Amino acid sequence: MLIESRPVKLTTRTGVGVNRTIPHGRLRMIGAWCFVDHFGPTDQTDGMVVAAHPHTGLQTVTWLFEGQIEHRDSIGSVQLIEPGQLNLMTAGQGISHSELSLATTQNLHAVQLWVALPSKDLVIAPAFEHQADLPELRVDGVRAKVLIGSFMGQTAPTTNYSPLVGVELTLEKGTHKIQLNPEFEYGFLNVVGEVLVAGEDVPVSALKYFETGRTEVYIEAKTHATLMMLGGKPFGEKILMWWNFIGRTHQDIVTAREQWNQRDQRFGEFEDQIGGWIPAPELPNLTLQAR
Ligand code: MN
């Protein structure tokens, strides 16, 4: 299955757009991966200025190819993110954060990914980790940086709560065999270049999906290329995603929304250079359902 990306405007001061693949009508999740946005490459004058906003029930993975972003959050983290380093924010029961791209000579080019937490972990305390020293493999024209989980015998130190893998693949021109775990489903997001995944052309920002049961896939890079490989065991739970919250019931979302808009201590507070905070929008006039 090929999932084409669609343009989405973020709620930011600069009106920047992203290319989103999942969630999609035909594909809600890949393992616990539940949200895939590809941003840029774009000039820093159109950078990312996302004021304070909350999250629940998920982990955010911010991964840069170019540029720099400053992350601040309500548990006191202040972190400059650079390419090749992983920022992982575990919202658990609730956190708030802001993101500001810094003026440099580089373009900003990134993915932001969300990982759903299993039901038993929805109430964990919020946490933040910065992984600057991730395992990297180089084999036959493939460079693989392991962000989370294990790939070809290398395991990232990143905290995860369900069986999951995330790898940045940088491919030289040519055809490459990539090993897969048959217990996982996978998505291959094309970030840069012209690629055929299992014989199918995957445009930049689009994602090629595979169900469980595969042990390998061939990727033909017609140019030097970068892809994100996202995999995991089928999640096995329905989740309810609304705005920046993940829960299981309509009431989970109603409560989180009210608490954020009332600036409840559940989401903490912090100071940044952006100032202000993004209120949660109105709920639709219906009962939200987990899917
Ligand atoms: Mn966020």
Side-chain angles (χ1 to χ4, degrees), residues 50-51 53-55 58 60 89 97-99 112 114 244:
V50 186
H53 61 279
H55 290 287
L58 58 90
T60 63
M89 188 179 78
H97 75 140
S98 68
E99 292 152 298
Q112 193 173 65
W114 289 2
N244 291 308

Side-chain angles (χ1 to χ4, degrees), residues 252-282:
D252 290 344
I253 303 299
V254 168
T255 302
R257 180 187 174 279
E258 283 176 3
Q259 288 176 330
W260 170 248
N261 282 353
Q262 292 163 4
R263 307 314 316 274
D264 187 273
Q265 268 311 302
R266 175 178 180 179
F267 297 105
E269 56 191 325
F270 61 99
E271 290 186 357
D272 62 19
Q273 301 173 58
I274 304 170
W277 54 286
I278 302 173
E282 290 297 321

Side-chain angles (χ1 to χ4, degrees), residues 62-63 79-88 128-135 145-148 156-160:
T62 307
W63 182 256
Q79 180 67 53
L80 179 68
I81 319 172
E82 301 199 65
Q85 304 176 349
L86 180 75
N87 262 27
L88 178 80
F128 176 81
E129 64 194 62
H130 178 74
Q131 302 287 358
D133 190 20
L134 294 164
K145 193 110 179 175
V146 187
L147 281 60
I148 190 164
T158 311
T159 306
N160 57 301

Side-chain angles (χ1 to χ4, degrees), residues 28-224:
R28 305 293 307 167
M29 302 174 78
I30 302 164
W33 299 104
C34 59
F35 189 94
V36 175
D37 272 359
H38 181 204
F39 176 85
T42 185
D43 191 85
Q44 284 280 358
T45 54
D46 259 353
M48 186 173 279
V49 185
V50 186
H53 61 279
H55 290 287
T56 61
L58 58 90
Q59 296 175 291
T60 63
V61 171
T62 307
W63 182 256
L64 297 184
F65 307 102
E66 295 178 83
Q68 291 180 317
I69 291 178
E70 186 189 84
H71 163 98
R72 290 183 184 239
D73 67 39
S74 56
I75 55 171
S77 317
V78 178
Q79 180 67 53
L80 179 68
I81 319 172
E82 301 199 65
Q85 304 176 349
L86 180 75
N87 262 27
L88 178 80
M89 188 179 78
T90 301
Q93 63 182 345
I95 196 168
S96 56
H97 75 140
S98 68
E99 292 152 298
L100 175 65
S101 61
L102 300 184
T104 67
T105 53
Q106 290 178 299
N107 286 344
L108 182 63
H109 190 191
V111 285
Q112 193 173 65
L113 315 167
W114 289 2
V115 177
L117 290 171
S119 285
K120 66 176 171 48
D121 300 311
L122 289 174
V123 296
I124 60 176
F128 176 81
E129 64 194 62
H130 178 74
Q131 302 287 358
D133 190 20
L134 294 164
E136 187 175 284
L137 301 129
R138 287 169 191 263
V139 189
D140 295 337
V142 176
R143 194 186 75 203
K145 193 110 179 175
V146 187
L147 281 60
I148 190 164
S150 298
F151 180 65
M152 293 181 69
Q154 299 285 321
T155 301
T158 311
T159 306
N160 57 301
Y161 293 87
S162 62
L164 204 64
V165 67
V167 177
E168 182 197 71
L169 295 171
T170 308
L171 307 178
E172 289 175 11
K173 195 173 164 183
T175 299
H176 308 280
K177 183 169 87 173
I178 305 297
Q179 294 176 10
L180 303 180
N181 177 346
E183 294 186 352
F184 283 11
E185 52 187 343
Y186 285 92
F188 288 84
L189 176 75
N190 185 4
V191 175
V192 175
E194 285 180 42
V195 293
L196 297 173
V197 181
E200 185 169 8
D201 183 43
V202 180
V204 168
S205 298
L207 181 145
K208 171 82 173 168
Y209 169 77
F210 297 103
E211 291 178 353
T212 58
R214 289 184 83 102
T215 55
E216 61 191 35
V217 65
Y218 284 90
I219 303 181
E220 182 184 349
K222 294 186 158 184
T223 61
H224 191 81

